[in-house]
Amino acid sequence: LDLRLATMPSGGEGVIEVFSLMGGYKVRVPDAWTVDNRVFAFLGGVEDKTTPAAEVGAPRLVVRGTIVMGGLTLTN
């Protein structure tokens, strides 16, 4: 999922629900967004490679859900 061209107002919040069973996701977000990772991984993993947004009140993306025997990569 590539969200690098998406826009969100300053201070706005978006939510993505993920579920993976023996598979994987790669989510790309704009550099100016803050990512709040709330994903539970069971026999799998979540790798957050995003850089923290330097701007106070930056848009926030909440990623929540479950990964079972798979993976999730969050990146800018």
Side-chain angles (χ1 to χ4, degrees):
L1 179 62
D2 191 350
L3 298 172
R4 290 177 293 173
L5 296 178
T7 59
M8 196 179 330
S10 182
E13 180 176 294
V15 178
I16 293 179
E17 286 276 343
V18 295
F19 176 79
S20 177
L21 179 63
M22 297 194 304
Y25 287 104
K26 184 171 189 176
V27 178
R28 293 178 164 212
V29 299
D31 292 330
W33 289 12
T34 300
V35 177
D36 184 1
N37 177 10
R38 299 181 186 176
V39 177
F40 172 72
F42 179 73
L43 297 176
V46 178
E47 190 172 11
D48 188 350
K49 296 181 176 180
T50 58
T51 56
E55 181 182 323
V56 175
R60 185 169 80 130
L61 179 67
V62 178
V63 183
R64 59 185 181 198
T66 305
I67 303 293
V68 180
M69 296 171 50
L72 169 66
T73 302
L74 302 166
T75 185
N76 295 100

